[in-house]
Amino acid sequence: MRRLLLTLRYDGTHYHGWQVQPGVVTVQQVLQDAIQSVTGVRAGVIGCSRTDSGVHANMFCCTFDTESTVPIERMPLALNQHLPPDVAVYRCEEVALDFHPRYLAQGKRYCYHIWNDPCRNPFWDRYALRRTGRLDEQLLNRAAAAFVGTHDFAAFCAAGADTAAEDTVRTVSKAEVKRDGKLVTFTVEADGFLYNMVRIMVGTLLDIAAGALPPDAIETALETGRREDAGFTAPALGLFLEKVYYEEGKTDAEKTSS
Amino acid sequence: MRRLLLTLRYDGTHYHGWQVQPGVVTVQQVLQDAIQSVTGVRAGVIGCSRTDSGVHANMFCCTFDTESTVPIERMPLALNQHLPPDVAVYRCEEVALDFHPRYLAQGKRYCYHIWNDPCRNPFWDRYALRRTGRLDEQLLNRAAAAFVGTHDFAAFCAAGADTAAEDTVRTVSKAEVKRDGKLVTFTVEADGFLYNMVRIMVGTLLDIAAGALPPDAIETALETGRREDAGFTAPALGLFLEKVYYEEGKTDAEKTSS
C-alpha cells in the first residue's frame, strides 16, 4: 500500500466545491471517479481544504492510498484522461503513510481577483468579481495590513459556523492588495482559514472602499469578534487557492506549482 | 453622421475569425447584430485586422458610422448587453469621418502563449498551445532576434496567399520569448503582418527548439523567401492580438487597453 499525494488545478465554476455531497457534482467526486478508472479500485481521497462551491484552485493537494502499480510519474496524465477539462492533476508523489494533507498543511495562500471596470472581460468574467467604481488599491492595501498578525478572526467567519466550539485564532503572515491594469488582486497567507474568511475579508475591504464601513473597520471587527462589524461575503468566483505549504522534506509539491 | 471607434476583447475559440462569412459565426457578425439592436440600424463594421478562426484579441479596434444619439460613454455597456459572453466592448470614442482602423494602424502587437508541460491546465487550455518537452526560452529568444528589422517575410506567409501580388516586406520592431513558470510567451510587434505570419514564426521557433530546423533557420528563410524553409503553422488557439497602435492624436484607444 502506498499513499500518493496529488497536486491539481481546477476551475470551480461548475462544481459544488471540493467535498462529495449527494445530488451535486464536486471536485472530490470526479477525482475519485478518475482514480477508480485508472486503478480499478474506489479510494477515498482526503483534501487539504474544503473549498466552497465556485472557488477555484491553482494548487490543491490531496491524498489517497493505493496498491496500484501505475508508475507515479505516469499517474497525472493517466488521471487527466479521465478527468473533465476543468480539473487537471499536474503532480503525483509518494508520501509517508501517516501524511495528512489538511493536518500537515502549515499554511495556505489565497488570491481574490476583482475586475475593476464597468465593462465585462471575457477572459476574467468567471474568475474575478466585477466592480464598477474606481478602487483605490493603495487605500485597500493599507487597510489590509490590519489583518497581518495573530488575531481572533471570529468576525471573519460565516455566521452559520460554530465559532464557539472552534478556535478562531489564526496567524496571517501576508495581506496585500495590488493592481495590474484593471485587475485588482488581494493576496493573503495564513496558517489556516475559517469558513468564508477570505471572502469576508474581501467584502470588508470593498465596504471600506465604498465608504459603507469606516477605514478602521478591520481593527474594530478583530476586536469585537462580531460578524456584523465586518463586511459582506464576497462571491466565490474571484477566489483562488494559490498555494499550500508543507513542512520541508514532507513533500515536493510546492516546488512545482507554477 | 458620426464615426465611432470601438475597442473590444474576444475569446475567439468559438468564432470563425473576425470577418463575416456565410454559414458560420464571426465576431464581426455578432458585433453588427449588437449595433443593430442598440441603434436600430444595420451598419457595416470595419475592423483593424482580419483575425483567423480561433484567434483571440485583448485589443481589437473597429469603426462604424451611425446617426444614433446614444451617448458614446454609454455605448460599450449598451453593446455588451447584446453581445455573447465571449465578446466585450470596453471603449467607444468618436473619430474623424476619414479614420480607417486598418489603413491608419501604424503597428500591432501579438502574443503567442505556450503551456510547456505535459499536464493540462484548465485555465490555459483554450489560450495556449501545450508542448511537452522542456523549451529553452533563452535559445528561442536568441533565435527570435533574427526577426527584428525590415525583411521580406514571404517565407512566413501562408502558402495559399498571393505573395507575388503583395508587398511582403515588413518591419518587426520587437520579437522576444519569455517564460513565466510553465507559460512561455512569444511577443512580436511590427508595422503589419502577413497572413499566418505570427503562427509560422512560432512554428519555426518550435521546430528550431525541437531540432527539426537548424538554429539559423530564420535567417535562411528570410533570405530565400521560401515557405518550405520556415517551420509549421502553429495552431490558432495560442494567438492573441494584444495591441493596435495609431498615430498620436487620432485616437485614445491604446491608452485604455489594460
Side-chain angles (χ1 to χ4, degrees):
Chain A
M1 182 71 75
R2 296 186 297 173
R3 180 160 294 185
L4 300 185
L5 175 69
L6 301 175
T7 311
L8 55 146
R9 280 192 178 80
Y10 56 83
D11 176 339
T13 307
H14 300 302
Y15 293 91
H16 284 257
W18 164 257
Q19 198 163 29
V20 166
Q21 296 171 63
V24 293
V25 181
T26 68
V27 179
Q28 186 185 25
Q29 180 203 315
V30 299
L31 193 60
Q32 288 180 168
D33 291 349
I35 290 169
Q36 183 169 9
S37 298
V38 170
T39 67
V41 178
R42 185 95 190 155
V45 173
I46 299 171
C48 64
S49 158
R50 281 175 287 184
T51 64
D52 280 349
S53 190
V55 174
H56 316 289
N58 267 310
M59 180 180 179
F60 189 97
C61 292
C62 60
T63 57
F64 69 103
D65 294 342
T66 183
E67 307 271 11
S68 167
T69 55
V70 175
I72 58 170
E73 67 276 13
R74 280 167 57 186
M75 191 61 85
L77 291 176
L79 290 170
N80 289 347
Q81 286 188 336
H82 296 277
L83 285 167
D86 42 13
V87 180
V89 174
Y90 57 90
R91 188 175 167 81
C92 178
E93 59 178 311
E94 188 173 349
V95 289
L97 280 171
D98 63 352
F99 184 95
H100 191 289
R102 190 160 79 251
Y103 300 151
L104 289 191
Q106 297 190 310
K108 296 192 183 85
R109 182 199 301 161
Y110 281 94
C111 285
Y112 193 99
H113 300 294
I114 298 161
W115 182 251
N116 188 205
D117 196 63
C119 296
R120 290 192 282 111
N121 179 323
F123 304 107
W124 279 100
D125 277 355
R126 287 164 65 164
Y127 309 122
L129 174 67
R130 192 158 86 241
R131 293 291 276 205
T132 292
R134 169 84 189 183
L135 291 174
D136 180 344
E137 71 278 8
Q138 294 179 340
L139 175 132
L140 292 181
N141 190 47
R142 282 194 299 274
F147 288 128
V148 176
T150 301
H151 305 286
D152 184 340
F153 283 93
F156 297 88
C157 183
D162 186 4
T163 52
E166 206 191 346
D167 175 15
T168 51
V169 174
R170 295 290 184 278
T171 299
V172 170
S173 50
K174 179 180 194 169
E176 60 177 36
V177 177
K178 283 192 175 168
R179 176 182 288 275
D180 177 12
K182 290 173 179 167
L183 190 70
V184 175
T185 299
F186 172 61
T187 302
V188 58
E189 285 183 15
D191 57 353
F193 289 88
L194 304 172
Y195 187 54
N196 278 356
M197 180 165 149
V198 184
R199 292 166 57 186
I200 300 172
M201 286 171 144
V202 171
T204 305
L205 289 169
L206 291 174
D207 277 348
I208 292 171
L213 283 175
D216 62 351
I218 294 169
E219 287 89 337
T220 303
L222 288 173
E223 219 165 280
T224 66
R226 298 191 315 178
R227 175 68 188 86
E228 58 268 37
D229 289 334
F232 76 107
T233 304
L237 90 169
L239 186 59
F240 281 73
L241 176 53
E242 279 293 328
K243 206 128 187 168
V244 187
Y245 296 98
Y246 293 103
E247 195 183 320
E248 201 156 332
K250 296 274 188 190
T251 151
D252 288 331
E254 67 187 78
K255 291 182 187 158
T256 56
S257 66
S258 68
Chain B
M1 184 69 75
R2 297 185 298 171
R3 179 159 295 185
L4 300 185
L5 175 69
L6 300 176
T7 311
L8 55 145
R9 280 193 178 81
Y10 56 83
D11 176 339
T13 307
H14 300 303
Y15 294 91
H16 284 256
W18 164 257
Q19 199 163 25
V20 166
Q21 296 172 63
V24 293
V25 181
T26 69
V27 179
Q28 186 183 26
Q29 180 203 315
V30 298
L31 193 59
Q32 289 181 167
D33 291 348
I35 290 169
Q36 184 169 9
S37 298
V38 169
T39 68
V41 177
R42 186 93 191 156
V45 174
I46 300 171
C48 63
S49 159
R50 281 176 286 183
T51 62
D52 280 350
S53 190
V55 174
H56 317 289
N58 267 311
M59 180 179 178
F60 189 98
C61 292
C62 61
T63 57
F64 69 103
D65 294 344
T66 183
E67 307 272 11
S68 167
T69 55
V70 174
I72 58 170
E73 67 275 14
R74 280 168 55 186
M75 191 61 84
L77 291 177
L79 290 170
N80 288 348
Q81 287 189 335
H82 296 276
L83 285 167
D86 43 12
V87 180
V89 174
Y90 57 90
R91 189 177 167 82
C92 178
E93 59 177 311
E94 189 172 349
V95 289
L97 280 170
D98 63 353
F99 183 95
H100 191 291
R102 190 160 78 250
Y103 301 152
L104 289 191
Q106 295 190 312
K108 296 192 183 87
R109 182 199 301 163
Y110 281 93
C111 286
Y112 193 98
H113 301 293
I114 299 160
W115 182 251
N116 189 204
D117 196 63
C119 296
R120 291 192 281 111
N121 180 324
F123 304 107
W124 278 99
D125 276 355
R126 287 163 66 162
Y127 309 123
L129 174 66
R130 193 159 83 243
R131 293 291 275 205
T132 292
R134 168 86 188 182
L135 291 173
D136 179 344
E137 71 277 8
Q138 295 180 339
L139 176 132
L140 292 181
N141 189 48
R142 283 194 300 274
F147 289 129
V148 176
T150 301
H151 305 287
D152 184 340
F153 284 92
F156 297 88
C157 184
D162 187 3
T163 51
E166 205 192 343
D167 176 13
T168 49
V169 173
R170 295 290 184 277
T171 300
V172 170
S173 50
K174 179 181 194 167
E176 61 178 35
V177 178
K178 283 191 177 170
R179 176 183 289 274
D180 178 12
K182 290 173 179 168
L183 190 71
V184 175
T185 299
F186 172 61
T187 301
V188 58
E189 286 183 14
D191 57 351
F193 290 87
L194 304 172
Y195 186 54
N196 278 357
M197 181 164 147
V198 184
R199 291 166 57 186
I200 301 171
M201 286 171 144
V202 171
T204 305
L205 288 169
L206 291 175
D207 277 348
I208 291 171
L213 283 174
D216 63 351
I218 294 170
E219 288 89 337
T220 304
L222 288 172
E223 218 166 280
T224 66
R226 299 192 316 178
R227 174 69 187 86
E228 58 268 37
D229 288 335
F232 77 107
T233 304
L237 89 169
L239 186 59
F240 281 74
L241 176 53
E242 280 292 328
K243 206 128 189 170
V244 188
Y245 297 98
Y246 292 104
E247 195 182 320
E248 201 156 333
K250 296 274 188 190
T251 152
D252 289 330
E254 68 187 78
K255 291 180 189 160
T256 56
S257 65
S258 68

